[in-house]
Amino acid sequence: MVDSDTMGAPAACHFDLHCHSTVSDGVLAPTEVVRRASANGVTVLALTDHDELAGLAEAAAAARESGIRFVPGVEISVTWGEITIHIVGLGIDPADSALQERLAGLRTSRGRRAERIAAEFDSLGIGGTLAGAYGYAENPQLIGRAHFARFLVERGVARDVAAVFRQYLVRGKPGYVPQQWADLADAVAWIRAAGGRAVVAHPGRYKLSRAELRQFLAEFRAAGGEGIEVVTGSHSPDQYLEFARLAREFDFLASRGSDFHGPDESPIDLGRLPALPADLKPVWHDW
Ligand code: AMP
Ligand code: MN
Ligand code: MN
Ligand code: MN
């Protein structure tokens, strides 16, 4: 299944513009992510680790070796109103010092959140989760809920990571702690100043009413956001259509990415995605 893109080029490219490595909460090292993507037929790959650029150099080198094109990316955690939204930056300069500094700030706040999460589990009688979670974080600078979830599976608290996220770590469940991430307009500005294009990650995953979603998309656009993910591992086929409509209505560029975290944790493997609806303008239209 090398090509499901039908954008007209004879040797069509196969894009996957959202995935994770061990530098954030993926389970494969950047080199392994690139090799797996290439083996799955991806010809243009973006690595988009959460709030961290440390995997980009290794991934770029692996992409050169595999003969595929690499797009440096990032997935920035944002707080909009009360909810967390993820903004993907594509084509950013990994050496941009302002972006690096801002992301370092987010990582520091992740460390403090981890302490609060662990304290919550302590009070539930589930001890040792801070060290346990860090045991799953190959990059100690980037700790996230997925690392806690993996440790909680090891401890037998739930069957798998998905089950942990149904029972714990989310709003309204034990182990959840609120967190203030970046401001929406700031995150978009950091991406643009670093030469990148800002894209809303998996817009179907947020608990927003229709009116709130539209308000959010309008604000994102006004802040300089250019695209939304239409085809992602986090959307159902119905949502591909729903967000294709919104991309047309708001005149957003459309993106496509698996959001792959690991072979056993992700609904869709690297590159195993249907094509974008042919009338949408892809985020890669001028690459
Ligand atoms: P964080 O940025 O540390 O708050 O964690 C967000 C990450 O947790 C996401 O990028 C996913 O990797 C993971 N995650 C969130 N919700 C779920 C879920 N329902 N099932 C599996 N993983 C999830
Ligand atoms: Mn993640
Ligand atoms: Mn995300
Ligand atoms: Mn992601």
Side-chain angles (χ1 to χ4, degrees):
M1 57 161 282
V2 168
D3 193 61
S4 43
D5 285 306
T6 50
M7 302 318 298
C13 292
H14 189 76
F15 291 84
D16 189 331
L17 301 180
H18 186 155
C19 65
H20 298 274
S21 76
T22 44
V23 154
S24 65
D25 59 6
V27 303
L28 302 181
T31 297
E32 297 173 300
V33 170
V34 170
R35 289 189 184 148
R36 187 181 182 96
S38 176
N40 284 357
V42 173
T43 58
V44 185
L45 179 74
L47 179 67
T48 54
D49 276 308
H50 299 282
D51 307 323
E52 175 64 284
L53 308 178
L56 297 177
E58 180 187 324
R64 276 194 295 277
E65 237 169 62
S66 294
I68 70 172
R69 183 154 166 214
F70 182 67
V71 177
V74 65
E75 183 175 15
I76 301 182
S77 311
V78 160
T79 300
W80 186 73
E82 296 267 279
I83 74 155
T84 298
I85 297 224
H86 287 171
I87 303 296
V88 164
L90 297 174
I92 46 114
D93 173 6
D96 186 275
S97 55
L99 178 60
Q100 285 176 351
E101 218 171 276
R102 305 310 190 180
L103 298 179
L106 292 176
R107 294 194 297 273
T108 301
S109 74
R110 282 178 170 278
R112 289 196 294 263
R113 179 186 65 158
E115 290 170 9
R116 290 184 286 139
I117 292 174
E120 286 280 308
F121 281 104
D122 284 342
S123 71
L124 295 170
I126 303 172
T129 58
L130 189 63
Y134 273 104
Y136 281 88
E138 281 189 42
N139 173 8
Q141 305 300 313
L142 194 295
I143 186 80
R145 286 182 294 162
H147 304 115
F148 279 89
R150 288 171 194 149
F151 175 68
L152 292 165
V153 172
E154 178 194 314
R155 280 283 300 270
V157 166
R159 192 180 63 245
D160 55 25
V161 163
V164 175
F165 276 99
R166 282 193 296 272
Q167 296 166 252
Y168 300 94
L169 295 171
V170 293
R171 191 189 290 266
K173 303 284 178 175
Y176 173 77
V177 302
Q179 172 79 342
Q180 190 69 34
W181 301 109
D183 176 73
L184 174 65
D186 288 346
V188 172
W190 304 340
I191 289 166
R192 288 168 64 91
R197 195 163 257 174
V199 173
V200 181
H202 40 66
R205 224 169 75 186
Y206 308 118
K207 292 201 168 73
L208 295 173
S209 69
R210 278 163 169 271
E212 288 166 333
L213 176 64
R214 284 164 173 283
Q215 170 71 21
F216 167 73
L217 292 175
E219 280 186 33
F220 173 70
R221 188 164 229 324
E226 293 175 75
I228 64 172
E229 289 182 347
V230 171
V231 170
T232 131
S234 299
H235 283 174
S236 66
D238 280 352
Q239 287 177 316
Y240 300 159
L241 301 177
E242 177 187 350
F243 289 97
R245 278 196 299 273
L246 284 166
R248 288 182 199 107
E249 183 188 325
F250 283 81
D251 197 25
F252 279 128
L253 301 174
S255 191
R256 173 182 190 254
S258 59
D259 203 4
F260 179 80
H261 282 72
D264 301 322
E265 288 189 20
S266 295
I268 292 197
D269 203 339
L270 287 157
R272 305 285 200 221
L273 295 157
L276 287 177
D279 67 301
L280 296 182
K281 194 180 212 184
V283 68
W284 57 80
H285 71 99
D286 57 353
W287 291 358

